[in-house]
Amino acid sequence: CAGRCLGPRTTVQKRSVICQHANGSSHRDCDLQNRPASARNCPSELCDVQWRAGPWRACTAACGSGFQSRRVDCVQRSGASRTLTEHHCSWLARPSTWQHCSATSTCGSECRDTTQYCSVVKRLNLCLVDMYKRRCCQSCLLRDTGSP
């Protein structure tokens, strides 16, 4: 009893049913009303399963919007909750494995000066150098007012 799961603890058992003579040779004129069933439902512990969703991973965006993912496994409910192949849980709605997310900070809020020398950096036009641009982000973004 190891067919496709139909629900909790229930699967389908199948067998081949052919029309033949008592000696084993093929026969074509069997009575269809007396034909034995070729499938039946049967109990199976392999179908006592559930989806187990792991924790959400960090958002892909440091600021603004991004997405996050998580692992979702098909596991047996009883015993050691061993992981099974996904087809055992195909009769259950699967939890999503990703979602949209928003970072806690807005993209503009990370721009701030981290050294006391930013006015000098700005005055000497050093904002073109990446290292100074990062350390003096706020000052380098300010437009010159045209005053001497």
Side-chain angles (χ1 to χ4, degrees):
C1 189
R4 184 175 58 89
C5 294
L6 301 174
R9 299 179 187 223
T10 306
T11 187
V12 176
Q13 186 178 35
K14 292 184 179 182
R15 66 180 177 179
S16 177
V17 177
I18 56 173
C19 178
Q20 64 184 21
H21 291 283
N23 66 7
S25 63
S26 287
H27 185 60
R28 294 180 193 234
D29 296 327
C30 289
D31 183 6
L32 291 178
Q33 288 184 342
N34 293 328
R35 184 179 191 267
S38 59
R40 69 176 179 178
N41 293 353
C42 57
S44 174
E45 288 300 313
L46 279 178
C47 295
D48 188 17
V49 295
Q50 66 185 12
W51 290 109
R52 180 178 59 202
W56 289 106
R57 291 181 184 95
C59 189
T60 57
C63 64
S65 63
F67 72 93
Q68 58 189 158
S69 61
R70 66 180 174 180
R71 184 181 173 125
V72 175
D73 292 314
C74 177
V75 296
Q76 271 188 308
R77 288 181 196 262
S78 58
S81 295
R82 71 181 175 112
T83 303
L84 303 169
T85 56
E86 293 186 2
H87 80 273
H88 288 286
C89 289
S90 62
W91 58 276
L92 294 167
R94 182 178 188 184
S96 65
T97 56
W98 72 276
Q99 67 182 3
H100 289 284
C101 59
S102 295
T104 54
S105 60
T106 58
C107 293
S109 68
E110 284 142 13
C111 180
R112 66 178 195 274
D113 293 347
T114 60
T115 178
Q116 59 185 349
Y117 301 107
C118 289
S119 60
V120 175
V121 167
K122 176 79 171 175
R123 194 169 43 243
L124 296 176
N125 290 325
L126 294 174
C127 289
L128 298 174
V129 179
D130 272 348
M131 179 183 72
Y132 294 120
K133 187 176 182 178
R134 279 192 308 266
R135 289 185 180 171
C136 299
C137 177
Q138 192 173 9
S139 292
C140 287
L141 285 176
L142 293 175
R143 292 182 179 248
D144 285 327
T145 58
S147 56

